[in-house]
Amino acid sequence: MNIENKKAELSDLDEAALFFHKHPTPGKLEIQATKPLGNQRDLALAYSPGVAAPCLAIKDDPATAADYTARGNLVAVISNGSAVLGLGNIGPLASKPVMEGKAVLFKKFAGIDVFDIEIDAPEIDRMVQTVAALEPTFGGINLEDIKAPECFEVEEQLKARMAIPVFHDDQHGTAIIVAAAVLNGLEFAGKKIEDIKIVTSGAGAAALACLNLLVSLGAKHENIWVTDRHGVAFKGRLEEMDRWKDPYVKETNARTLADVIGGADVFLGLSAAGVLKPELLAGMAEKPLILALANPTPEIMPELARTARPDAMICTGRSDFPNQVNNVLCFPYIFRGALDCGATAINEEMKMAAVRAIAALAREEPSDIAARAYSGETPTFGPDFLIPSPFDPRLILRIAPAVAKAACESGVAKRPIEDWPAYLDRLSRFVFRSGLVMKPVFSAAKSANAKRVIYADGEDERVLRAAQVVLEEGTALPILIGRPHVVDVRLRRYGLKIRPGIDFELINPEDDPRYRGYVDLLIELGGRRGVTPEAARTMVRTNTTVIAALALKRGDADAMICGLEGRFERHLRNVQLIIGPRAGVTDRDLSALSMLITQRGVVFFTDTYVSVDPSAEEIAEMTVLAAEEISRFGIEPKAALLSHSNFGSRDSASALKMREAAAILQRIAPKLQADGEMHGDSALSEQLRHRVNPHSTLKGEANLLVFPNLDSANIALTTVKQMMDALHVGPILLGAAKPAHILTPSVTSRGVVNMTALAVVEAAQQAQNPA
């Protein structure tokens, strides 16, 4: 097949993935220096002659490598490409995008640095020799996508030879999540692990690791039945048998899955689509747990299983169903805990600690912050919530300490953690600097009843691309304003598959049956504010922001997005006129919040687009509104009121204004962490802040920067965004009666998608808690 034909067969997701991996820089990783090299002394310290000092220190005491090099936070993700995802034996070079992806997950979820290493080593001995020789470089080894049964031998030999953690995630990561699901499923069903019957479909690396871990937790070998493509693992079978399957071999006449499924409490599927037929479920025990983990199509689809056995608890490997068994729930945090205590291995005690931590988290009462992150629809322990969400920010706070503690107690920790409260505090600070702040917002948007988001700039390429994304991901029901012939031409030009009237609603500004009703509503709203009937008719025909706002006001949509073209102030006037402020907020108090997602973490700026020179009272009010919005992300707001004055060092008018605003905040929002006036560096460094004012009420690093005027806020936002190559989410309009957001001409389609998710969550919360 030639290249052109291959391109023609690519799906939209495939094309998007290829573009994502190629631009703006090929691949998903880069190396950045952690020390400044700005002058000759820096160079002398970093290399010759200064580098000799740490070299000699490590020679005298190898443990100090964790103090003087990156080794203590560096993991190797290693594969020979022999069993990649669902792609099979595609070789080491073709596996590299997957290994880079694994590296990104380590960094994003746990702050662990990774080198991905793809080695041309199909033989066991060659792979073991190659990996073992890397021990001086790394603090841990994550083996990935190595076919069975070779993977068992490779891991076994490496664990025996190396004094650092060696972890084959395909085996043990899956096993840990499965074991947590089994523990919680048994608790819900009122069963004991030592009494249950387990039947598997599949006997590869992951399946056997799952069974071994369940045995460690109390399951009995005699109650476990293993089947694969050759049928039951029975005594005397010759096809694909090895020493790792031997503990589960039975002396039996049973030969098929159907022969052994009767009475099973747990079905564990790590095999192929459709293997578990609905009729086989009838003979399973009461309240069976079905782990159908084949991807992308499980052994049985959840709806079929639910129809056949309404009492079943069902887990899959897919994100579009409840109870997703996803390795990202554990491997970043297991390595985090292992590295932080200098573990020489990841042993059974550490794995079981991870199992119990994950299971316990699903049973926890959700915190207030977690509840806000889930948009009020906080899942609670039960058949559809046996496993926490992969994006639950508490995962690292539960798993990493549990693993580190188990390492210390089992004697494999070279650097035992002594100050546990300080360790937990360090992990907590990382949680909200991971760049994953939008994840709970998207999760909440998908779980909300479909909300209609109207886009004023429906002809814009960025909106059209965003509309396809939100439809594919189930985030919202888009309504676009645009001329049908223009939208149709552009959809085809950009190769988008969505179509008006089928996938989304299209409002034609030149011919819509609601025109007269919209005009009447606009006259009613603006008749005393200078809007004449003739002006109203013209605005409804020509101004798409006006149309979107009227649709939202009338209830034809649940949220609106505008501002991709034209001046922010013009769009704001129309939103203020038609949507207006919510109860308790005046037009003058509307403000804008901007979020920047950087490599360093997440920070919010206000007011970046609305208030030119707000008063102290208005600054206090916008800070309260901003804090409320930040809580929607599951983040505790910490506000710093910024100034050229640092806690009274100057008495200019703007400094006095910010000082007064801080005092007002203490009166109207005493529970909010807020202080000022202060310098920007004091806001971001508790150490610097305490040098100036050790009694500051603000603790830790501020995540909400409140500026004295529009000039300072907007200049800071746009400068930092460009300098740090940060992702801007916003502007988020605060104080409006309904979710209405005015973006800027520089926004990307990704930015439109982000704001859509946020608008959907706001609409869902308003529906649950109407003013």
Short mmCIF file of all heavy atoms in Angstrom, two decimals, residues 552-579:
data_model
loop_
_atom_site.label_atom_id
_atom_site.label_comp_id
_atom_site.label_asym_id
_atom_site.label_seq_id
_atom_site.Cartn_x
_atom_site.Cartn_y
_atom_site.Cartn_z
N LEU A 552 -28.79 32.64 25.05
CA LEU A 552 -28.50 32.22 26.42
C LEU A 552 -29.52 32.80 27.38
O LEU A 552 -30.04 32.10 28.26
CB LEU A 552 -27.08 32.67 26.79
CG LEU A 552 -26.59 32.34 28.20
CD1 LEU A 552 -26.60 30.85 28.45
CD2 LEU A 552 -25.19 32.91 28.42
N LYS A 553 -29.84 34.05 27.23
CA LYS A 553 -30.79 34.73 28.11
C LYS A 553 -32.17 34.07 28.03
O LYS A 553 -32.84 33.88 29.05
CB LYS A 553 -30.90 36.20 27.73
CG LYS A 553 -31.87 37.02 28.59
CD LYS A 553 -31.29 37.27 29.97
CE LYS A 553 -32.17 38.23 30.77
NZ LYS A 553 -31.62 38.49 32.12
N ARG A 554 -32.56 33.66 26.82
CA ARG A 554 -33.90 33.09 26.61
C ARG A 554 -33.97 31.61 26.98
O ARG A 554 -35.06 31.03 27.00
CB ARG A 554 -34.32 33.31 25.15
CG ARG A 554 -35.84 33.44 24.99
CD ARG A 554 -36.22 33.83 23.59
NE ARG A 554 -36.09 32.70 22.65
CZ ARG A 554 -36.76 32.65 21.51
NH1 ARG A 554 -37.57 33.64 21.16
NH2 ARG A 554 -36.61 31.64 20.68
N GLY A 555 -32.83 30.99 27.22
CA GLY A 555 -32.83 29.58 27.57
C GLY A 555 -32.64 28.65 26.40
O GLY A 555 -32.81 27.43 26.54
N ASP A 556 -32.29 29.21 25.23
CA ASP A 556 -32.03 28.36 24.06
C ASP A 556 -30.63 27.75 24.11
O ASP A 556 -30.29 26.92 23.26
CB ASP A 556 -32.18 29.17 22.77
CG ASP A 556 -33.60 29.69 22.58
OD1 ASP A 556 -34.52 29.07 23.15
OD2 ASP A 556 -33.78 30.70 21.88
N ALA A 557 -29.82 28.17 25.06
CA ALA A 557 -28.49 27.62 25.28
C ALA A 557 -28.19 27.70 26.77
O ALA A 557 -28.87 28.43 27.52
CB ALA A 557 -27.44 28.39 24.48
N ASP A 558 -27.18 26.94 27.20
CA ASP A 558 -26.83 26.91 28.62
C ASP A 558 -25.58 27.72 28.93
O ASP A 558 -25.31 28.04 30.09
CB ASP A 558 -26.61 25.46 29.07
CG ASP A 558 -27.83 24.60 28.86
OD1 ASP A 558 -28.90 24.95 29.40
OD2 ASP A 558 -27.74 23.59 28.13
N ALA A 559 -24.77 28.02 27.90
CA ALA A 559 -23.54 28.79 28.09
C ALA A 559 -23.15 29.37 26.75
O ALA A 559 -23.60 28.89 25.69
CB ALA A 559 -22.42 27.92 28.65
N MET A 560 -22.32 30.42 26.75
CA MET A 560 -21.91 31.02 25.50
C MET A 560 -20.42 31.31 25.49
O MET A 560 -19.80 31.57 26.53
CB MET A 560 -22.69 32.31 25.21
CG MET A 560 -22.37 33.47 26.13
SD MET A 560 -23.16 35.03 25.60
CE MET A 560 -22.03 35.56 24.30
N ILE A 561 -19.85 31.26 24.28
CA ILE A 561 -18.44 31.59 24.04
C ILE A 561 -18.40 32.60 22.89
O ILE A 561 -19.00 32.36 21.83
CB ILE A 561 -17.62 30.36 23.63
CG1 ILE A 561 -17.72 29.24 24.69
CG2 ILE A 561 -16.17 30.73 23.36
CD1 ILE A 561 -16.97 29.49 25.96
N CYS A 562 -17.69 33.71 23.08
CA CYS A 562 -17.57 34.71 22.02
C CYS A 562 -16.18 35.33 22.11
O CYS A 562 -15.36 34.94 22.92
CB CYS A 562 -18.67 35.77 22.13
SG CYS A 562 -18.56 36.80 23.63
N GLY A 563 -15.92 36.35 21.26
CA GLY A 563 -14.73 37.15 21.40
C GLY A 563 -13.55 36.77 20.53
O GLY A 563 -12.49 37.39 20.64
N LEU A 564 -13.69 35.77 19.66
CA LEU A 564 -12.56 35.37 18.82
C LEU A 564 -12.22 36.44 17.79
O LEU A 564 -11.11 36.45 17.24
CB LEU A 564 -12.84 34.04 18.11
CG LEU A 564 -12.58 32.79 18.97
CD1 LEU A 564 -13.70 32.57 19.99
CD2 LEU A 564 -12.43 31.55 18.10
N GLU A 565 -13.17 37.30 17.52
CA GLU A 565 -12.93 38.41 16.61
C GLU A 565 -13.44 39.69 17.27
O GLU A 565 -14.44 39.68 17.99
CB GLU A 565 -13.64 38.20 15.27
CG GLU A 565 -13.15 36.98 14.50
CD GLU A 565 -13.92 36.77 13.21
OE1 GLU A 565 -14.79 37.62 12.90
OE2 GLU A 565 -13.67 35.77 12.53
N GLY A 566 -12.76 40.81 17.02
CA GLY A 566 -13.21 42.09 17.53
C GLY A 566 -12.66 42.43 18.89
O GLY A 566 -11.88 41.68 19.48
N ARG A 567 -13.07 43.55 19.41
CA ARG A 567 -12.53 44.08 20.66
C ARG A 567 -13.27 43.50 21.87
O ARG A 567 -14.50 43.40 21.86
CB ARG A 567 -12.63 45.61 20.68
CG ARG A 567 -11.76 46.28 19.62
CD ARG A 567 -11.86 47.78 19.73
NE ARG A 567 -10.98 48.45 18.76
CZ ARG A 567 -10.86 49.75 18.63
NH1 ARG A 567 -11.58 50.56 19.41
NH2 ARG A 567 -10.05 50.27 17.74
N PHE A 568 -12.50 43.20 22.89
CA PHE A 568 -13.06 42.63 24.11
C PHE A 568 -14.12 43.55 24.69
O PHE A 568 -15.21 43.10 25.11
CB PHE A 568 -11.94 42.41 25.13
CG PHE A 568 -12.38 41.70 26.38
CD1 PHE A 568 -12.25 40.33 26.50
CD2 PHE A 568 -12.92 42.41 27.45
CE1 PHE A 568 -12.65 39.67 27.66
CE2 PHE A 568 -13.34 41.76 28.61
CZ PHE A 568 -13.19 40.39 28.71
N GLU A 569 -13.86 44.85 24.72
CA GLU A 569 -14.78 45.79 25.35
C GLU A 569 -16.15 45.80 24.67
O GLU A 569 -17.18 45.91 25.33
CB GLU A 569 -14.16 47.19 25.34
CG GLU A 569 -14.96 48.22 26.12
CD GLU A 569 -14.30 49.59 26.13
OE1 GLU A 569 -13.29 49.76 25.40
OE2 GLU A 569 -14.78 50.47 26.85
N ARG A 570 -16.14 45.67 23.33
CA ARG A 570 -17.43 45.67 22.60
C ARG A 570 -18.26 44.44 22.97
O ARG A 570 -19.47 44.53 23.20
CB ARG A 570 -17.16 45.69 21.09
CG ARG A 570 -18.42 45.66 20.24
CD ARG A 570 -18.10 45.92 18.78
NE ARG A 570 -17.19 44.92 18.23
CZ ARG A 570 -17.60 43.75 17.72
NH1 ARG A 570 -18.90 43.45 17.70
NH2 ARG A 570 -16.73 42.90 17.21
N HIS A 571 -17.60 43.29 23.05
CA HIS A 571 -18.32 42.08 23.45
C HIS A 571 -18.81 42.20 24.88
O HIS A 571 -19.92 41.78 25.20
CB HIS A 571 -17.40 40.86 23.32
CG HIS A 571 -16.96 40.57 21.92
ND1 HIS A 571 -17.83 40.13 20.95
CD2 HIS A 571 -15.75 40.67 21.32
CE1 HIS A 571 -17.17 39.95 19.81
NE2 HIS A 571 -15.90 40.28 20.02
N LEU A 572 -17.99 42.78 25.75
CA LEU A 572 -18.36 42.92 27.16
C LEU A 572 -19.61 43.78 27.31
O LEU A 572 -20.49 43.46 28.11
CB LEU A 572 -17.19 43.53 27.94
CG LEU A 572 -17.44 43.77 29.43
CD1 LEU A 572 -17.69 42.46 30.16
CD2 LEU A 572 -16.25 44.51 30.06
N ARG A 573 -19.71 44.87 26.53
CA ARG A 573 -20.89 45.74 26.63
C ARG A 573 -22.15 44.95 26.32
O ARG A 573 -23.18 45.10 26.98
CB ARG A 573 -20.75 46.93 25.68
CG ARG A 573 -19.80 48.01 26.15
CD ARG A 573 -20.08 49.33 25.43
NE ARG A 573 -19.96 49.18 23.98
CZ ARG A 573 -18.86 49.39 23.28
NH1 ARG A 573 -17.74 49.73 23.91
NH2 ARG A 573 -18.84 49.25 21.97
N ASN A 574 -22.09 44.11 25.29
CA ASN A 574 -23.28 43.34 24.91
C ASN A 574 -23.64 42.30 25.97
O ASN A 574 -24.82 42.07 26.25
CB ASN A 574 -23.05 42.67 23.57
CG ASN A 574 -23.01 43.67 22.43
OD1 ASN A 574 -23.74 44.66 22.44
ND2 ASN A 574 -22.14 43.45 21.45
N VAL A 575 -22.63 41.66 26.55
CA VAL A 575 -22.90 40.67 27.61
C VAL A 575 -23.48 41.37 28.83
O VAL A 575 -24.44 40.87 29.44
CB VAL A 575 -21.60 39.91 27.96
CG1 VAL A 575 -21.80 39.09 29.23
CG2 VAL A 575 -21.17 39.01 26.81
N GLN A 576 -22.94 42.53 29.19
CA GLN A 576 -23.47 43.27 30.33
C GLN A 576 -24.92 43.70 30.09
O GLN A 576 -25.76 43.64 30.98
CB GLN A 576 -22.61 44.49 30.61
CG GLN A 576 -21.25 44.16 31.22
CD GLN A 576 -20.36 45.38 31.35
OE1 GLN A 576 -20.31 46.22 30.45
NE2 GLN A 576 -19.67 45.50 32.48
N LEU A 577 -25.21 44.11 28.86
CA LEU A 577 -26.56 44.57 28.52
C LEU A 577 -27.57 43.43 28.57
O LEU A 577 -28.67 43.59 29.13
CB LEU A 577 -26.55 45.19 27.11
CG LEU A 577 -27.92 45.55 26.52
CD1 LEU A 577 -28.55 46.70 27.29
CD2 LEU A 577 -27.77 45.91 25.03
N ILE A 578 -27.22 42.28 28.00
CA ILE A 578 -28.20 41.20 27.81
C ILE A 578 -28.17 40.18 28.94
O ILE A 578 -29.23 39.80 29.46
CB ILE A 578 -27.94 40.50 26.45
CG1 ILE A 578 -28.13 41.53 25.32
CG2 ILE A 578 -28.87 39.30 26.26
CD1 ILE A 578 -27.62 41.06 23.97
N ILE A 579 -27.02 39.72 29.31
CA ILE A 579 -26.92 38.71 30.37
C ILE A 579 -26.95 39.36 31.74
O ILE A 579 -27.65 38.92 32.66
CB ILE A 579 -25.64 37.87 30.22
CG1 ILE A 579 -25.60 37.20 28.84
CG2 ILE A 579 -25.54 36.82 31.33
CD1 ILE A 579 -26.76 36.29 28.56
#
